[in-house]
Amino acid sequence: PSDYSSAFAAAMPDAAVRRQFLMQLFAERTPCFGQRVLGAFVAAGAADLLVTTNFDDLIERAVIEAHQAPQWPARLLTVAALQSSPRAATALSDSSWPLLVKVHGDFRETSLKNLDEELREQDETLRQAVVDMSRRFGLAVAGYSGRDESVMAMLSEASMLPGAWPAGLWWLTRNPDELPPPVKDLLTAAAALGVQTHIVRAANFDEVMGSLAKQLKTEDCVRAYLDELGPRPRVVDAPMPSKDGP
């Protein structure tokens, strides 16, 4: 579980060097299909709260791309990271959505959490915001291993509150039989307190978002945008041949 942190610590122990490396790494990246679908969901009002351990800006880019589509409803995304953590509490107080909480920071800020010693504790403001929000939303966890003790402690604390995750706690995984013990413990404890918990077998994030996109009931302009995001079908409808044809 510590391979990622150990590699960073060995190659780039200086935080400023790590940040410069990440800025160069992310500069040419573009959102994947699943992130573009998620961006459309956010812009269209189908997703209000996002919490991520990633510190890239791909979700923000995906939301901006969606807003650039014709006749799109406007919803500005608030981003709360380590150096902008009060935004999360303000959004919660004002019910101002959508909100993206970046619990490990943003690569454009000077503060990042990507070494083990940095990950042992969460920013208290962001942690409390996520805990408080657990009484308003359900939570679907995708693409996260459950290896960060501080994040799992945050989710455990949130799940212990009365009425936590009223729309359920959904953990998406490629192989349910290989869930790490902290994840199993979280789901078991939450279920014992009345939270509706679900383990969902999912091949990858893109396929999950593609499936959700097909089910979303939304405006025609949003549907057209989502349909354009998918790959072109190999087989398409063609007119029946006529006797006047060649």
Side-chain angles (χ1 to χ4, degrees):
S2 64
D3 285 354
Y4 165 84
S5 171
S6 299
F8 253 135
M12 300 176 187
D14 184 88
V17 174
R18 274 183 274 137
R19 187 168 64 87
Q20 288 295 324
F21 169 75
L22 290 170
M23 290 181 68
Q24 296 173 9
L25 189 67
F26 297 148
E28 303 299 325
R29 297 296 186 267
T30 58
C32 67
F33 167 75
Q35 289 167 330
R36 285 190 166 98
V37 172
L38 182 58
F41 285 2
V42 171
D48 287 330
L49 174 64
L50 308 178
V51 181
T52 183
T53 56
N54 294 344
F55 30 76
D56 57 59
D57 63 345
L58 296 177
I59 292 177
E60 297 97 300
R61 292 190 193 187
V63 175
I64 291 172
E65 286 184 12
H67 277 304
Q68 293 172 343
Q71 301 178 338
W72 195 267
R75 291 220 316 166
L76 298 179
L77 176 66
T78 298
V79 181
L82 295 177
Q83 291 182 307
S84 51
S85 57
R87 294 177 183 173
T90 301
L92 177 63
S93 175
D94 297 344
S95 294
S96 178
W97 316 112
L99 171 66
L100 169 62
V101 179
K102 306 177 87 165
V103 293
H104 287 175
D106 187 300
F107 78 99
R108 294 161 293 193
E109 299 180 342
T110 56
S111 297
L112 285 177
K113 289 179 178 287
N114 46 25
L115 300 185
D116 281 346
E117 58 266 27
E118 298 167 344
L119 294 169
R120 290 193 181 103
E121 295 183 1
Q122 289 300 125
D123 176 89
E124 187 55 38
T125 303
L126 295 181
R127 175 191 179 101
Q128 189 60 49
V130 174
V131 170
D132 291 343
M133 291 171 190
S134 70
R135 287 173 287 190
R136 298 192 182 192
F137 297 95
L139 179 66
V141 182
Y144 176 63
S145 65
R147 69 183 181 183
D148 299 320
E149 292 183 9
S150 61
V151 172
M152 293 304 295
M154 176 182 69
L155 296 180
S156 295
E157 180 182 350
S159 301
M160 299 304 108
L161 293 177
W165 311 125
L169 175 55
W170 309 71
W171 201 283
L172 282 63
T173 177
R174 184 175 291 109
N175 189 346
D177 296 330
E178 295 182 359
L179 281 177
V183 175
K184 294 179 181 178
D185 293 343
L186 169 66
L187 296 175
T188 300
L193 293 173
V195 178
Q196 294 295 318
T197 60
H198 311 269
I199 299 174
V200 181
R201 185 185 296 273
N204 55 61
F205 181 67
D206 283 349
E207 289 194 11
V208 169
M209 298 310 297
S211 296
L212 291 176
K214 294 177 181 178
Q215 300 178 48
L216 181 67
K217 296 180 180 180
T218 186
E219 300 175 27
D220 291 343
C221 61
V222 178
R223 171 53 53 199
Y225 179 80
L226 290 171
D227 290 344
E228 285 296 318
L229 292 178
R232 299 296 181 209
R234 294 187 178 183
V235 179
V236 297
D237 292 334
M240 290 291 292
S242 67
K243 63 180 181 180
D244 299 325

